[in-house]
Amino acid sequence: MFFSTGNAFNFEKVRVRMTVLLLAFLKNKIVFIFVFFSFLCSTTSGQCPGKDYFKQKINTISNSKDKNPEIQLKWLLQVKEEMNNCRYQKDSVYMYLLRRIGLVYFKQVKYDSAVYYTNQSIQIAKILLQNNKCLPLALVDNYYTLFYIAFNLEQEQNELNAIDSCITYFLRGNLGTDKALTVLQSKVEYFYNKGDYSQCINTAKLGEEIVQKSNHIEDSIGNIVFFVNYRANALYYGNELDSAKEILINKIVQFEKIGQSNQLGNIFSALGLINNEEGKYKEALYFLWKGFEKFAINKYGKGLAQNLVFIGRIEGVKLRNYDAGLKYLSTSLKYADAMDSSNVFTQKGNIYSLKNRFDSAQYFFQKAYNAVQPGMDENTLLQKSFQFPGYNQLQDLSDLATDKGDAYVRQYNFTHNNDFLKKAISVFKKNDLFLGKIRTEQKLQIASSLVWNKTARSLYEHAIDACYANKNIEDAFYFFEKSRAILLNDQVNEQRWKADSDIVKEATMKKLILEMEQKVATISDSSEENITLRKKLYVANQQYDLFINRFKSRNPVYYENYIDNSTLSISQLRKDILKDKKTLVEIFSGDSAVYVLTISGINQSIKKIDKKLYAGVANLFNAYISNPSLLNRDFKGWIKTSRQLYNLLFQNNIIADGRMIISPDGINFPFEALIISVEQEPDYFLNHYATSYTYSAKYLTNHFAANTNGGSTIFGMAPVKYNADMHLAPLSGSDNSLNKINDYFSNATNVVLEKATKSRFLQNFPDYSIIQLYTHASDSSDRNDPVIYFADSALYLSNLLLDRRPVTQLVVLSACETANGKFYEGEGIFSFNRGFAALGIPAAISNLWSVENESTYRITELFYKYLSKGLPTDVALQKAKLEFIEKSVSKEKKLPYYWAGAILTGKADILENKQPSLWLWISIAFIVLLGIVFLMRKILIKKKVIGNTELEN
């Protein structure tokens, strides 16, 4: 018989050939094909067809012109049953079949079944890939399907997981570029919309490089524009205006060169926004109209709407051409979606507020809320999810609330009715809670959190000004505290929740990411190595995000309360912190004014200073104090400047002598050198107050790890000499100073000369209570990062990572400029003392300028002398400086340059006295003496016994 089963090999060849011939003859007649296949299968007896047979069968069903999903699903499931019946192995064909079944279920909107079969396909693909039996493309395709399923179901986390997996397997094989670019675009939009601008920039850069490496730029202009535009906008919101401008201008030249100038609408518009931020309104309007022209050619309605909103804002709000602004805003509504409409109404509200038509202003602010969600306002905003349909630009919502509050302040200025100030403060508080909720739910990386802090800066300035006008010091203190070091407090609190294993894992991941980021910054963008490294960096960031998400899931209670919105009240401040004659002074430096808030045990006040006047005097103060030759040449000028700065801060505000806590903002200077009065000699602030500095009052309420070593210890390090390629002068005498300090401590450890290496410092310092470091340092470097030098190499602030929880209570950085670094609005100066604070170390002594060696050694030694007597760290430092001034033989050494540079930042506590007390020494001596007496008595008794025995004999 023709269909004999006696010869399996011949049967297989004949059946495959017959199938191919019949398929060619009955192309797209899928019903007959299915019947024929079923007949062939039914005539076999336990014999499983080969791989090519099933592959051809699946392709024929999938590629049929008959796209009815129900019929396709029926036949695909029949093929699956056939393969299972003959115990077909789970190879790439079976994997492909499961994927096709998943896709058909997706078309039928049966998402549960689609997910099930797609995941089955994924499991097989992973095993095959591990055994080199399939390509990563199979997983790219499958995760791409899961991405679309999650997108349709609005399951954000599942969508993100699918995106990350899709990209991961693309990066392994460089296959499936179109799908990878699609999901990369979604990830870029996600980062941008949630305000995670640093991740947005990195992901957009990766996408752009993949496009340029994979295709001709002429064929991929849309992808290029997308990634460049998002990268530039993220840089814009991150206040990296020069970088954003450079990228955009380069792309204009590139696109015009290849004849694609009509695609430049987004690029011109972004340049318009940058010029607007820089206050160059004429240039901003030029670029916005250029962008409008390109959008009109391409009939891109959203671009037209957004450009008209920006144009209307510049004309109506910035240039006060009210009618022109309102006209452009009204025109933009023709093209606007819900998101753009909200922005239109917000800007209309601002214009009517400037025109003193406050009812109209509030009407349009409410319309702006309604465009997002009907009936929304500041109260309901806090009760809703952030995922609004078609609107997830959280920053615009925050700006809307701030603008509404500003309108109430203008109404107060117009009417002098305090009720409007109260309304403004209420709106500002709701907006602050909204920003706190964003930070809680979004869990941004540090760089992006700093951007959001900057966003909130305008809110806090306006809120503090409203509190100042309303003489509301309690609420002013609330906004002062919310304006500073929120991120640092989060980092300190988070340390308490992390297990030791979490700290190790996080440190390892951060080190890897940091190394790759630093390396990629030094490699040409066009190089193959750059894109390879960016791929690895993307995967490393994925793994770090996964680690953080798992940490969140294990600690839900903590993350539900991640941002402590319960602020410190003035009564709590007085009870918990302002004991022992302490006074808190907080400074807020806004765009036009500086506010000084002073709170003592019984008094409180707030004052407002002109920003330009304050900045001029404070900068001149620093110019004098950090330059000994200038102080000598113009001591009278110095006295005048110091007195002027003191009066700006404290005039008519008498504060009793005691301990002073300063929370600065902006310009950093030593308050100890302020001159209160002048008789025969300058009466310095130092004479009246033991001064410490803090990131915020809230920081002082944090609980830090205690020393569990049994005996408190000090770790001292002094490289003295450095590698020749560092070009650093030796610090002669620093090792001798360490030896003098050791006289005040037991269990002290000193590391000097070539043993004082970076690795030894990082390995040892977390296990000691006090760290004393004599070395060179700088507040800037080739990496734009503060740096400390060791005998063998340099430690950059960004590399200050630990793999365990420190027990350190105080770090003394006797090195130049260790109190300085890059200033971030809303967070403060990123210096080494702040870096140690983020690790959970409560206090640090650092220097504001390049200090003189011998004076530094002497003041440091005196500090430990008083610290060993049981004095708090701030009082010990004050007394050390006063004794240094008193006993200085040279009149020059009495100048504040020599003694004012070292400042204490953080908690000013009494540290355990590490020097054994006199009574302890007496007790030890008494015990030793008793031992000697006992031993001598025993010897005498023994001799007497021996003597008596001899006499008897």
Side-chain angles (χ1 to χ4, degrees), residues 92 95 124-139:
S92 59
M95 171 196 71
I124 296 172
K126 286 182 176 179
I127 295 171
L128 294 173
L129 181 63
Q130 195 172 20
N131 297 321
N132 296 318
K133 293 183 178 180
C134 81
L135 296 173
L137 178 61
L139 287 158

Side-chain angles (χ1 to χ4, degrees), residues 98-226:
L98 295 176
R99 176 173 174 260
R100 297 305 307 179
I101 293 172
L103 285 171
V104 176
Y105 273 121
F106 173 69
K107 291 176 183 177
Q108 292 181 302
V109 198
K110 296 179 180 178
Y111 294 130
D112 288 345
S113 297
V115 170
Y116 173 79
Y117 279 100
T118 304
N119 277 326
Q120 290 286 309
S121 181
I122 286 171
Q123 295 307 314
I124 296 172
K126 286 182 176 179
I127 295 171
L128 294 173
L129 181 63
Q130 195 172 20
N131 297 321
N132 296 318
K133 293 183 178 180
C134 81
L135 296 173
L137 178 61
L139 287 158
V140 173
D141 291 338
N142 274 310
Y143 280 113
Y144 187 74
T145 300
L146 288 183
F147 156 70
Y148 266 111
I149 293 171
F151 175 80
N152 280 276
L153 291 174
E154 296 182 359
Q155 296 175 343
E156 184 181 81
Q157 192 55 55
N158 288 339
E159 182 182 342
L160 294 173
N161 292 341
I163 288 172
D164 288 340
S165 297
C166 185
I167 295 170
T168 297
Y169 287 105
F170 163 75
L171 296 178
R172 284 184 64 174
N174 289 319
L175 297 171
T177 301
D178 291 342
K179 291 183 174 67
L181 289 174
T182 299
V183 296
L184 263 178
Q185 288 185 2
S186 293
K187 196 66 179 285
V188 166
E189 288 181 312
Y190 167 77
F191 284 136
Y192 181 78
N193 288 334
K194 73 178 283 193
D196 198 340
Y197 299 121
S198 62
Q199 287 277 60
C200 176
I201 291 166
N202 289 333
T203 308
K205 181 64 177 172
L206 175 62
E208 186 183 343
E209 291 178 350
I210 289 172
V211 174
Q212 292 175 328
K213 292 290 181 183
S214 303
N215 302 290
H216 295 294
I217 191 169
E218 295 88 343
D219 301 328
S220 308
I221 198 72
N223 283 323
I224 291 288
V225 169
F226 177 91

Side-chain angles (χ1 to χ4, degrees), residues 458-513:
S458 175
L459 160 66
Y460 295 133
E461 179 175 5
H462 296 187
I464 290 170
D465 191 58
C467 292
Y468 171 79
N470 200 37
K471 299 178 181 179
N472 184 343
I473 295 180
E474 185 73 47
D475 281 336
F477 179 57
Y478 171 94
F479 289 114
F480 264 85
E481 279 294 289
K482 284 306 193 77
S483 73
R484 62 196 61 227
I486 296 295
L487 173 60
L488 176 60
N489 281 318
D490 291 345
Q491 290 174 306
V492 172
N493 286 329
E494 191 178 82
Q495 289 289 327
R496 295 165 53 201
W497 284 79
K498 287 178 180 172
D500 292 341
S501 59
D502 291 328
I503 294 175
V504 173
K505 288 178 184 177
E506 184 170 23
T508 302
M509 290 180 175
K510 282 185 174 180
K511 285 177 182 177
L512 177 63
I513 290 171

Side-chain angles (χ1 to χ4, degrees), residues 259-265 294-295 297-298:
Q260 296 285 349
S261 63
N262 287 340
Q263 303 297 325
L264 292 172
K294 302 301 181 185
F295 289 144
I297 293 172
N298 295 314

Side-chain angles (χ1 to χ4, degrees), residues 193-196 381-382 386 392-399 431-444 448-449 452 455 562-563 565:
N193 288 334
K194 73 178 283 193
D196 198 340
L381 181 64
L382 294 171
F386 293 136
N392 53 3
Q393 295 289 341
L394 306 179
Q395 189 164 358
D396 290 335
L397 275 175
S398 176
D399 290 344
N431 194 9
D432 169 67
L433 293 174
F434 173 59
L435 289 173
K437 192 174 182 183
I438 291 172
R439 293 176 57 251
T440 304
E441 295 193 1
Q442 303 297 63
K443 191 61 178 65
L444 306 175
S448 297
S449 295
W452 278 100
T455 298
Y562 185 74
I563 306 304
N565 286 318

Side-chain angles (χ1 to χ4, degrees), residues 44 152 201 211-212 223 233 235 318 325 338 373 375 400 498 550 647 670 697 728 732 766 787 890 909 915 921:
T44 62
N152 280 276
I201 291 166
V211 174
Q212 292 175 328
N223 283 323
N233 275 281
L235 286 166
K318 299 297 184 182
Q373 191 166 303
L400 166 56
K498 287 178 180 172
R550 286 175 177 170
N647 286 331
L728 296 171
S732 302
V787 60
S890 166
D909 292 333
Q915 177 70 16
W921 284 119

